[in-house]
Amino acid sequence: MPDDELLSTHLQELRRGTVVLACLLILKKPNYGYALLELLGRRGFAVDANTLYPLLRRLEKQGLLTSDWNTEESRPRKFYRTSGEGLDVAELLSQDWETLDAAFRTLRDEL
C-alpha cells in the first residue's frame, strides 16, 4: 500500500482538472460560491474554499463564467453562471473525459 502522503498528492493531481469541469457543468444554473462549495462536496468533488474562489475568478477572467451580484438579500452574494463559451468548453472537456474513461477501462481490462 502506498504511503498516505504520496497517495494524497497523486489524488490531488488527478482531481484538480475535474473540479473545473464540475463547476462548468453545475453552474449552468446560477449559484454563489459557498453553495457551490457545498454542492461540489455532496457530489464527491471535495474542494477547499481557498481553492474554489480563485478558480471561480480565473474561470470568469477566461470568459468561461459570468457573474452578477445579488444585493436583494441582507447579505450580498456573487452569483456565477457558465457562459456560452464555458458551455462549449464543458462539452469538449466532457467528450475528452468520456474518451479517457474508455481508454482507462480498456487498459484496466487488458491487465
Side-chain angles (χ1 to χ4, degrees), residues 2 76 108:
R108 190 175 54 210

Side-chain angles (χ1 to χ4, degrees), residues 4-70:
D4 286 346
E5 186 176 331
L6 177 67
L7 180 59
S8 178
T9 299
H10 286 290
L11 285 173
Q12 183 179 16
E13 288 179 26
L14 181 63
R15 292 180 179 156
R16 186 170 288 135
T18 62
V19 174
V20 170
L21 179 55
C23 286
L24 292 175
L25 294 172
I26 290 171
L27 291 173
K28 288 179 181 181
K29 296 180 182 175
N31 218 331
Y32 62 97
Y34 185 75
L36 176 61
L37 189 64
E38 289 186 335
L39 185 55
L40 285 166
R42 286 195 309 268
R43 299 285 173 93
F45 295 92
V47 61
D48 292 331
N50 293 335
T51 300
L52 180 62
Y53 289 106
L55 172 65
L56 292 173
R57 287 191 295 273
R58 180 171 57 88
L59 293 174
E60 183 178 20
K61 186 176 180 180
Q62 292 171 341
L64 302 179
L65 295 178
T66 60
S67 68
D68 291 299
W69 282 97
N70 179 345

Side-chain angles (χ1 to χ4, degrees), residues 89-103:
V89 169
E91 178 60 30
L92 292 169
L93 291 175
S94 294
Q95 289 172 10
D96 197 53
W97 179 270
E98 297 284 334
T99 301
L100 289 170
D101 181 55

